[in-house]
Structures are given as structure tokens and as C-alpha cells.
Amino acid sequence: MAAFIREVEDVAMALRHAVLAALLDEELSGYQLAKAFGLGVANFWHALPQQLYAELARLERDGLVSGREVVQDTRPNKRLFTATDAGLAELERFAATANKPSFIRDDLLVKVQAADHVAAGALIEQLAERAAFADAKIELLGGLLRKMRGGMSEEEFLRHGERIGPYLTCLRGIAFEQGNRDWCRRSAAILEERRTAHARG
Amino acid sequence: MAAFIREVEDVAMALRHAVLAALLDEELSGYQLAKAFGLGVANFWHALPQQLYAELARLERDGLVSGREVVQDTRPNKRLFTATDAGLAELERFAATANKPSFIRDDLLVKVQAADHVAAGALIEQLAERAAFADAKIELLGGLLRKMRGGMSEEEFLRHGERIGPYLTCLRGIAFEQGNRDWCRRSAAILEERRTAHARG
DNA sequence: GACGAATAGTCAGATTCTTGAGTATCATGG
DNA sequence: CCATGATACTCAAGAATCTGACTATTCGTC
């Protein structure tokens, strides 16, 4: 009888690689990963806790990360994970594969697409909310950048700093949110002006 | 015996609303929708043909769009769809609901996150590719904007043009791709400089 | 001392999205 | 005349993601 060996698939599975990438520099628990991939820090991917715990289990099963139990008396025990050599090799393989273009998929844009046919008030409000959210995230990410830079200037860090990867993805996150904020504010202003012009007209 | 009535769910289902939004201004076939939601035009959402045909069937079943057969002798027959009044009402309801923040999910960012641990060459190449793709899309979308504006200046169109919704989402698409392009070029330059500095060092 | 929030994690189920393979007709170029 | 590609659409199956509900401990606070 042949043994059934579960082979690691060679398809995309970007979440798997996102988790691996996060575990290259830091040893993290599922819970910490979940916070990073939830609202906020990990600007290169987004996922829910359930996905991350499941992915960690698969990664450990496949030998791409290794976990160690940490006993805590003040909090529930936890397991900290790091990428193994096999994990790093898998990431290297992944880095050489083709990537599909990234597309926008956003509720708010759908609503704006329909702006000529729906109530302007709610839309303007939501655009303002989103802009505020973007501002908050920009500040959060700005703080992260400062922390990564330490004492260095940005130019110096970009030339000689270690761990440039997370810095670059963070920069993209900030630029994305700035674009978001600017577009939201501008669109809200335009819709507002058209609304009042129409009301007067 | 009670009749089983299939009620329209009140959950998010953004693809459904994206299709509805696209069918507000234009009468389109599934095939045309598929081209718009595939690579390129519809900057507010992305979907594959199979999803769109399935969604159109559901939308028609629920009375939110109506289709009419168009017989063609030069090409296969097609069905053109438009949003119904019920569809518009559904979109209005949707426009008033809360939206979840939009997150980036991008293979290339995952790879850049791991930039300190993987080969720089492939990464730089992919960043250049992505920048070129962004350039192409910017041009495509710029053309769309000009077409929508007709003879008007941008300022004039934003004030008085009809169908501002698609124009605004197109602006967001362009800004997104510009952000993408700039970040890709800058990141590639930084990685390149660090690589040559290391090689010399 | 009860209550909510944070830490740490798990399970089941449904929905959504992607992959892959088809059907059929007509136009165009070599 | 044959191959390629565009138009127009369908079916099945699997992977990824999301919703919602759970367990359990500890910290702060009212």
C-alpha cells in the first residue's frame, strides 16, 4: 500500500505567505497576528482571527512555522510562532511567482458610482467618515514609521536601515490612505456643492 | 400549507449592488459587464464573468433588473439588462447602510514585506512591471474621463455635468494607480540602491 | 462583587470568489 | 480554407473568506 503524503500545493495562497512574511522578523502569537491583520497594522494583507489560527495550524503541520508554548500566570497561555528555514524557502519561491494585479473592491465606491441616483446626504456623511478613518490610520502608520526609523532620518533609514520591507509596505499603506482621504474630501465637497446648487437652482 | 417565499436578504452583498450601480445608466449585456468588471473599466469593483452571469440571474429572479433579448444576425444573440425601480430602491437602501473599511490585499505587498529575506532582483522586476501596468491603466482611465467630460473642462463637469458618480469613481481609480506607480518606482529604486551598495560594500 | 473589556483561542456553516472546462457563432488574416 | 480571436454564455467544483457563536482566564472599575 502506498503511503499518502500530503504535498504542499504550489498555488497562490497569499494569506499563507502573508503570515509567513509577518513571522520572519518577529515571534508572534495567533492573537497578536490577528490584531495586526485585523484593523490597522499589517498594511500588506487583511484577515480575521479564525483565518489566521487555521492558517497557523496548516503552516505548522507543513513545517513552515514552528510554535512554542509560553506559560503565563497573569494571562492565558499562548503559543508563539516563527518561520522555519522551510518557511523562508517557501517565501522565496513565492516571491518569484507572478502576481495578479490588485483591484479595488470597496462598498463606498459602489455607492459613489450610483451617486446620481441615490440620496446625497448619506453619501456625503459616509465620505466624511471614511476620510476621518483614513486620517486616524495615517497617524497610526506614521507612528509605526517613526518607531521603525528610531533615531534615523527617513532618507538615512531607506539607505541603511535594516528591515526595509515592513517600512516600504507601511509607506504604501499611508499613501493609500492619503489618496483615500483626499478623494473622499474632494468628492464630498463636489457632491455638497452640487446639492446646494440644485436646491437654489 | 404555507407558500415558501424567497425573501431578498438584507446583508451586504456588494457585488449585487455593484452590478445594479453599473446598470443604472446603461443597458448592458452580461458579456459587456464582464469586460467592464474584468481588467479595466469598472474602478469600483472587480469580478469574473461567471460571477456576473450568476449575479444577473439572481437579480432578475428578484426583480431588481430586467433583461430583454436582442436578436443579432451578425453575432450570437444577447440579453441586455437594466435596473428596475425595485433595483434602484434596493440601491438606495444599500447606500444608507454602513460600509466596512476597505483593505489592501496584494501579493506584491506581501513580497515587499519580506524584502529583507528574499532575492531583490525578482522583486525589483515585479515592481517595475506593476508600475508599467499602472501607467497603462492611468492612460486608459484618463481616456474614459475625457470621454465622460465631452467638451467640458474638469471643473465645469464636476459642477454641472450629469452622471458624476462614474466620473468620481474613475478619479479614485486613477489616483489609486498613480499611488501604486509612484510607490513601485520609489521602492524599486530604493531596493536597487541598497543592492548595489551592498555589492560594493 | 458584579460587569465589561482584553487576552487567547476554537468550531461550524454560509457566502463569495476563483479555477477550469465547455458550447456556439461569426469575423479576420494569412 | 483554416486558425485565431471576439462575441455570448454556462456548468461544476474547490478554495478563500466571512458571520456568528463558543470556552476560559484575568484586569480594571464602579
Side-chain angles (χ1 to χ4, degrees), chain A residues 124 188-198 200, chain B residues 159-160:
Chain A
I124 291 168
I190 289 164
L191 290 175
E192 182 63 45
E193 209 204 287
R194 288 168 67 97
R195 183 165 65 155
T196 55
H198 179 265
R200 275 201 315 273
Chain B
R159 281 177 202 273
H160 310 298

Side-chain angles (χ1 to χ4, degrees), chain A residues 95 97 99 111 126 161 194, chain B residues 25 95 97 99 111 126 161 194:
Chain A
T97 63
N99 13 304
K111 296 177 187 179
Q126 287 174 49
R194 288 168 67 97
Chain B
D25 297 311
T97 62
N99 13 300
K111 296 178 187 177
Q126 288 175 47
R194 289 169 68 99

Side-chain angles (χ1 to χ4, degrees), chain B residues 35-81:
Chain B
K35 292 193 83 176
F37 280 77
L39 232 156
V41 189
N43 304 98
F44 57 103
W45 205 262
H46 162 78
L48 299 169
Q50 296 92 320
Q51 266 179 286
L52 292 164
Y53 285 114
E55 195 60 54
L56 279 172
R58 279 191 289 270
L59 282 164
E60 194 177 23
R61 181 201 68 194
D62 294 339
L64 303 184
V65 306
S66 72
R68 68 185 178 91
E69 186 89 15
V70 173
V71 179
Q72 305 180 116
D73 26 293
T74 166
R75 309 216 160 275
N77 295 347
K78 62 182 172 183
R79 303 197 67 215
L80 292 182
F81 295 90

Side-chain angles (χ1 to χ4, degrees), chain B residues 42-197:
Chain B
N43 304 98
F44 57 103
W45 205 262
H46 162 78
L48 299 169
Q50 296 92 320
Q51 266 179 286
L52 292 164
Y53 285 114
E55 195 60 54
L56 279 172
R58 279 191 289 270
L59 282 164
E60 194 177 23
R61 181 201 68 194
D62 294 339
L64 303 184
V65 306
S66 72
R68 68 185 178 91
E69 186 89 15
V70 173
V71 179
Q72 305 180 116
D73 26 293
T74 166
R75 309 216 160 275
N77 295 347
K78 62 182 172 183
R79 303 197 67 215
L80 292 182
F81 295 90
T82 34
T84 63
D85 290 348
L88 178 55
E90 169 60 20
L91 249 183
E92 262 159 11
R93 197 197 55 72
F94 173 69
T97 62
N99 13 300
K100 35 199 147 186
S102 77
F103 292 107
I104 291 183
R105 230 174 220 172
D106 187 341
D107 283 8
L108 186 50
L109 265 90
V110 172
K111 296 178 187 177
V112 170
Q113 173 79 16
D116 306 300
H117 306 271
V118 303
L123 219 49
I124 290 168
E125 216 174 292
Q126 288 175 47
L127 285 165
E129 268 170 44
R130 176 64 65 86
F133 175 85
D135 268 334
K137 190 146 180 194
I138 289 166
E139 238 181 278
L140 177 72
L141 296 179
L144 263 182
L145 285 186
R146 275 193 298 281
K147 207 167 143 190
M148 284 192 259
R149 276 200 304 271
M152 295 189 210
S153 72
E154 174 147 290
E155 206 201 348
E156 197 188 344
F157 183 82
L158 289 174
R159 281 177 202 273
H160 310 298
E162 35 181 331
R163 260 170 300 175
I164 189 102
Y167 199 90
L168 290 176
T169 54
C170 198
L171 280 177
R172 182 69 192 101
I174 289 183
F176 175 72
E177 292 299 347
Q178 284 171 341
N180 235 348
R181 180 197 56 191
D182 294 347
W183 176 81
C184 284
R185 296 246 155 86
R186 187 170 179 220
S187 298
I190 289 165
L191 290 176
E192 183 62 46
E193 210 205 285
R194 289 169 68 99
R195 184 166 63 156
T196 55

Side-chain angles (χ1 to χ4, degrees), chain A residues 90-111:
Chain A
E90 169 59 20
L91 249 184
E92 260 158 13
R93 198 197 54 71
F94 173 69
T97 63
N99 13 304
K100 34 200 146 184
S102 77
F103 292 107
I104 290 183
R105 229 173 220 174
D106 187 340
D107 282 9
L108 187 49
L109 280 168
V110 172
K111 296 177 187 179

Side-chain angles (χ1 to χ4, degrees), chain A:
Chain A
M1 296 292 179
F4 292 95
I5 296 176
R6 187 194 295 274
E7 297 202 7
V8 176
E9 310 292 324
D10 68 333
V11 287
M13 294 194 292
L15 172 58
R16 145 165 296 215
H17 299 104
V19 172
L20 272 176
L23 294 176
L24 283 175
D25 296 312
E26 285 178 292
E27 194 179 29
L28 295 171
S29 68
Y31 190 75
Q32 288 174 294
L33 270 177
K35 292 193 83 175
F37 279 77
L39 230 157
V41 189
N43 304 98
F44 57 102
W45 205 262
H46 162 79
L48 298 169
Q50 297 91 320
Q51 268 178 283
L52 292 164
Y53 284 115
E55 196 58 57
L56 279 173
R58 280 191 289 270
L59 282 165
E60 193 176 25
R61 180 201 70 195
D62 294 340
L64 304 184
V65 306
S66 72
R68 66 183 179 93
E69 185 88 16
V70 173
V71 179
Q72 306 181 116
D73 26 291
T74 165
R75 308 217 160 275
N77 296 348
K78 63 181 172 184
R79 303 196 67 216
L80 292 182
F81 295 89
T82 32
T84 63
D85 290 348
L88 177 54
E90 169 59 20
L91 249 184
E92 260 158 13
R93 198 197 54 71
F94 173 69
T97 63
N99 13 304
K100 34 200 146 184
S102 77
F103 292 107
I104 290 183
R105 229 173 220 174
D106 187 340
D107 282 9
L108 187 49
L109 280 168
V110 172
K111 296 177 187 179
V112 170
Q113 172 81 14
D116 305 300
H117 306 272
V118 303
L123 220 49
I124 291 168
E125 214 174 294
Q126 287 174 49
L127 286 165
E129 266 169 43
R130 177 62 66 88
F133 175 85
D135 268 334
K137 191 148 178 191
I138 289 166
E139 238 181 279
L140 178 73
L141 296 179
L144 263 181
L145 286 186
R146 274 193 299 280
K147 207 166 142 189
M148 284 191 260
R149 276 199 306 271
M152 296 189 212
S153 72
E154 175 148 289
E155 206 201 350
E156 198 188 344
F157 183 84
L158 289 174
R159 280 178 204 272
H160 309 298
E162 35 181 329
R163 260 168 302 176
I164 189 103
Y167 199 91
L168 290 176
T169 55
C170 198
L171 280 177
R172 182 69 191 101
I174 288 183
F176 175 71
E177 292 299 347
Q178 283 171 340
N180 235 346
R181 179 197 55 191
D182 294 347
W183 176 81
C184 284
R185 295 246 155 87
R186 187 168 179 222
S187 297
I190 289 164
L191 290 175
E192 182 63 45
E193 209 204 287
R194 288 168 67 97
R195 183 165 65 155
T196 55
H198 179 265
R200 275 201 315 273

